[in-house]
Amino acid sequence: MTSRIQTPAATVAAGNTADVFAAIRKAIGMVPNAYAAIGALNTPALQAMLSADAVLSHGTLSAQEREIVKLVVSAVAGCDYCVAAHSLAAKASGIPVDGVRAIQALTPTGDVRRDALVRFVRVLQESRGTIAPQELEAFQAAGFGDEAVVDVALAIAIITFTNVFNRVNDTTVDFPALK
């Protein structure tokens, strides 16, 4: 299946877009189709998303926890592209494959802290952010501070942007299946 919005290949980008793509390629070894399309259409939008992700990387959530948030949001949203991308990133961050598959399915992983994060994010997504006090209390009881609420919200904002774009675009998945 091909993406709905036709965009030039990342290899033919010029100027600022080429510079952004080169930085992405250097960081992760490729320019994913989602980034290539967003960058070709609106380079500042891609830069804003990458900048927000950089801010998030200096927050209270570990790399694994950031990937969990992005994977849960993508699973709830039904974004196949982002589920594929963040499943591999979650595995690369050190989450075992069976744990990644449980997160994809929104089922318990057996890790108390991880499961509390999955539940908190899922409840946030399914309730559009309006949660019962006990949901926040359970999140905090798992060891997450109030700062983590800000970081979770930022991670949700970042991944929601790519979820929406990829669902509209039906972006062709360019990540291998999780093994």
Side-chain angles (χ1 to χ4, degrees):
M1 170 146 255
T2 60
S3 300
R4 293 177 180 152
I5 300 171
Q6 297 305 308
T7 55
T11 56
V12 299
N16 187 39
T17 305
D19 294 341
V20 172
F21 288 172
I24 293 168
R25 198 175 290 108
K26 182 178 179 185
I28 63 174
M30 65 182 276
V31 178
N33 286 340
Y35 288 0
I38 294 167
L41 297 167
N42 188 331
T43 304
L46 178 60
Q47 289 175 302
M49 186 200 73
L50 295 172
S51 292
D53 225 9
V55 168
L56 185 62
S57 73
H58 297 291
T60 63
L61 300 177
S62 69
Q64 287 184 5
E65 292 165 341
R66 293 189 305 270
E67 291 305 327
I68 289 167
V69 174
K70 293 176 181 182
L71 185 51
V72 170
V73 172
S74 300
V76 170
C79 181
D80 294 341
Y81 188 92
C82 291
V83 167
H86 293 287
S87 292
L88 287 179
K91 179 183 172 194
S93 75
I95 299 173
V97 172
D98 60 337
V100 174
R101 287 201 172 104
I103 296 164
Q104 289 173 333
L106 305 171
T107 59
T109 66
D111 178 288
V112 174
R113 183 174 167 92
R114 186 177 295 154
D115 290 345
L117 179 58
V118 169
R119 177 172 172 77
F120 185 67
V121 173
R122 181 179 184 178
V123 169
L124 283 172
Q125 288 306 102
E126 292 175 347
S127 69
R128 299 179 188 207
T130 302
I131 61 170
Q134 61 266 26
E135 296 296 344
L136 178 58
E137 291 164 5
F139 182 66
Q140 292 167 326
F144 292 98
D146 293 341
E147 297 86 357
V149 176
V150 174
D151 292 341
V152 167
L154 180 57
I156 289 171
I158 294 165
I159 195 63
T160 298
F161 170 73
T162 55
N163 281 183
V164 170
F165 177 79
N166 289 321
R167 296 212 51 211
V168 169
N169 187 37
D170 198 17
T171 306
T172 302
V173 177
D174 53 349
F175 294 96
L178 184 66
K179 295 179 184 177

Coordinates of all heavy atoms in Angstrom, one line a residue, residues 18-53:
A18 N 17.0 19.1 3.8 CA 18.1 18.1 3.7 C 19.0 18.0 4.9 O 19.4 16.9 5.4 CB 19.0 18.5 2.5
D19 N 19.2 19.2 5.6 CA 20.0 19.2 6.8 C 19.3 18.5 7.9 O 19.9 17.7 8.7 CB 20.2 20.7 7.3 CG 21.1 21.4 6.3 OD1 21.8 20.8 5.5 OD2 21.1 22.7 6.4
V20 N 18.0 18.7 8.1 CA 17.2 18.0 9.1 C 17.2 16.5 8.8 O 17.4 15.7 9.7 CB 15.7 18.5 9.1 CG1 14.9 17.6 10.1 CG2 15.7 20.0 9.6
F21 N 17.0 16.1 7.6 CA 17.0 14.7 7.2 C 18.4 14.1 7.5 O 18.5 12.9 7.9 CB 16.6 14.5 5.7 CG 15.2 14.7 5.5 CD1 14.7 14.7 4.2 CD2 14.2 14.9 6.5 CE1 13.4 14.9 3.9 CE2 12.9 15.1 6.2 CZ 12.5 15.1 4.9
A22 N 19.5 14.8 7.2 CA 20.8 14.3 7.5 C 21.0 14.0 9.0 O 21.6 13.0 9.4 CB 21.9 15.3 6.9
A23 N 20.5 14.9 9.8 CA 20.6 14.7 11.2 C 19.8 13.5 11.7 O 20.3 12.7 12.5 CB 20.1 16.0 12.0
I24 N 18.7 13.3 11.1 CA 17.9 12.1 11.5 C 18.6 10.9 11.0 O 18.7 9.9 11.8 CB 16.5 12.2 10.8 CG1 15.7 13.4 11.5 CG2 15.7 10.9 11.0 CD1 14.4 13.7 10.7
R25 N 19.1 10.9 9.8 CA 19.8 9.7 9.3 C 21.0 9.4 10.1 O 21.3 8.2 10.4 CB 20.2 10.0 7.8 CG 20.6 8.8 7.0 CD 20.9 9.1 5.6 NE 19.7 9.5 4.8 CZ 19.5 10.8 4.4 NH1 20.3 11.7 4.6 NH2 18.4 11.0 3.7
K26 N 21.7 10.4 10.6 CA 22.9 10.2 11.5 C 22.5 9.6 12.8 O 23.1 8.7 13.3 CB 23.6 11.5 11.7 CG 24.9 11.4 12.5 CD 25.6 12.7 12.7 CE 26.8 12.5 13.5 NZ 27.5 13.8 13.8
A27 N 21.4 10.1 13.3 CA 20.9 9.6 14.6 C 20.3 8.2 14.6 O 20.6 7.4 15.5 CB 19.8 10.6 15.2
I28 N 19.6 7.9 13.6 CA 18.9 6.6 13.6 C 19.2 5.7 12.4 O 18.6 4.6 12.3 CB 17.4 6.7 13.8 CG1 16.7 7.4 12.7 CG2 17.1 7.3 15.2 CD1 15.2 7.5 12.8
G29 N 20.0 6.2 11.5 CA 20.4 5.4 10.3 C 19.5 5.4 9.1 O 19.8 4.8 8.1
M30 N 18.4 6.1 9.2 CA 17.4 6.2 8.1 C 16.5 7.4 8.4 O 16.5 8.0 9.5 CB 16.6 5.0 8.0 CG 15.6 4.8 9.3 SD 14.6 3.3 9.3 CE 13.2 3.8 8.3
V31 N 15.8 7.8 7.3 CA 14.8 8.8 7.5 C 13.5 8.1 7.3 O 13.1 7.7 6.2 CB 14.9 10.0 6.5 CG1 13.7 11.0 6.6 CG2 16.2 10.7 6.6
P32 N 12.8 7.8 8.4 CA 11.5 7.1 8.3 C 10.5 7.8 7.4 O 10.5 9.0 7.3 CB 11.0 7.0 9.8 CG 12.2 7.2 10.6 CD 13.1 8.2 9.8
N33 N 9.6 7.0 6.8 CA 8.7 7.6 5.9 C 7.8 8.7 6.5 O 7.5 9.7 5.8 CB 7.7 6.5 5.3 CG 8.4 5.6 4.3 OD1 9.4 5.9 3.7 ND2 7.8 4.4 4.1
A34 N 7.5 8.5 7.7 CA 6.7 9.6 8.4 C 7.4 10.9 8.5 O 6.9 12.0 8.1 CB 6.2 9.1 9.8
Y35 N 8.7 10.8 8.9 CA 9.5 12.0 9.0 C 9.8 12.6 7.6 O 9.8 13.8 7.4 CB 10.8 11.8 9.7 CG 10.8 11.5 11.2 CD1 9.6 11.5 11.9 CD2 11.9 11.2 11.9 CE1 9.5 11.3 13.2 CE2 11.9 11.0 13.2 CZ 10.7 11.0 13.9 OH 10.7 10.8 15.3
A36 N 10.0 11.8 6.6 CA 10.2 12.2 5.2 C 9.0 13.0 4.7 O 9.2 14.1 4.1 CB 10.6 11.0 4.3
A37 N 7.8 12.5 5.0 CA 6.6 13.1 4.5 C 6.4 14.5 5.2 O 6.2 15.5 4.6 CB 5.4 12.2 4.6
I38 N 6.5 14.4 6.5 CA 6.2 15.6 7.3 C 7.3 16.7 7.0 O 6.9 17.9 6.8 CB 6.2 15.3 8.8 CG1 5.0 14.4 9.2 CG2 6.2 16.6 9.7 CD1 5.1 13.8 10.6
G39 N 8.5 16.3 6.9 CA 9.6 17.2 6.6 C 9.5 17.8 5.2 O 9.7 19.0 5.0
A40 N 9.1 17.0 4.2 CA 9.0 17.5 2.9 C 7.8 18.5 2.8 O 7.9 19.5 2.0 CB 8.7 16.4 1.9
L41 N 6.8 18.3 3.6 CA 5.6 19.1 3.5 C 5.7 20.4 4.4 O 5.2 21.4 4.1 CB 4.3 18.3 3.9 CG 4.0 17.2 2.9 CD1 3.0 16.3 3.6 CD2 3.5 17.7 1.6
N42 N 6.4 20.2 5.5 CA 6.5 21.3 6.5 C 7.7 21.1 7.4 O 7.5 20.6 8.5 CB 5.2 21.4 7.3 CG 5.1 22.7 8.2 OD1 6.1 23.2 8.6 ND2 3.9 23.1 8.4
T43 N 8.8 21.4 7.0 CA 10.1 21.2 7.7 C 10.0 21.8 9.1 O 10.4 21.1 10.1 CB 11.3 21.7 7.0 OG1 11.3 21.1 5.7 CG2 12.6 21.4 7.7
P44 N 9.5 23.0 9.3 CA 9.4 23.6 10.7 C 8.5 22.7 11.6 O 8.8 22.6 12.8 CB 8.8 25.0 10.5 CG 9.3 25.4 9.1 CD 9.2 24.1 8.3
A45 N 7.5 22.1 11.1 CA 6.6 21.2 11.9 C 7.4 20.0 12.4 O 7.4 19.6 13.5 CB 5.4 20.8 11.1
L46 N 8.2 19.4 11.5 CA 9.1 18.3 11.9 C 10.1 18.7 12.9 O 10.3 18.0 13.9 CB 9.8 17.7 10.6 CG 10.7 16.5 10.9 CD1 10.0 15.3 11.6 CD2 11.4 16.1 9.6
Q47 N 10.7 19.9 12.7 CA 11.7 20.4 13.6 C 11.0 20.6 15.0 O 11.7 20.4 16.0 CB 12.3 21.7 13.1 CG 13.2 21.5 11.9 CD 13.8 22.8 11.4 OE1 13.0 23.6 10.9 NE2 15.1 22.9 11.4
A48 N 9.8 21.2 15.0 CA 9.2 21.4 16.3 C 8.9 20.1 17.0 O 9.1 20.0 18.3 CB 7.8 22.2 16.1
M49 N 8.5 19.1 16.3 CA 8.3 17.8 16.9 C 9.6 17.2 17.5 O 9.6 16.7 18.6 CB 7.6 16.8 15.9 CG 7.2 15.5 16.5 SD 7.0 14.2 15.2 CE 8.7 13.9 14.8
L50 N 10.6 17.3 16.7 CA 11.9 16.7 17.1 C 12.5 17.5 18.3 O 13.1 17.0 19.2 CB 12.9 16.8 16.0 CG 12.6 15.8 14.8 CD1 13.5 16.1 13.6 CD2 12.6 14.4 15.2
S51 N 12.2 18.8 18.3 CA 12.7 19.7 19.5 C 11.9 19.3 20.7 O 12.5 19.2 21.8 CB 12.5 21.2 19.1 OG 13.3 21.6 18.1
A52 N 10.6 19.1 20.6 CA 9.8 18.7 21.7 C 10.3 17.3 22.3 O 10.4 17.1 23.5 CB 8.3 18.6 21.4
D53 N 10.6 16.4 21.3 CA 11.1 15.1 21.7 C 12.5 15.2 22.5 O 12.7 14.5 23.4 CB 11.3 14.2 20.5 CG 10.7 12.8 20.7 OD1 10.1 12.5 21.8 OD2 11.0 12.0 19.8

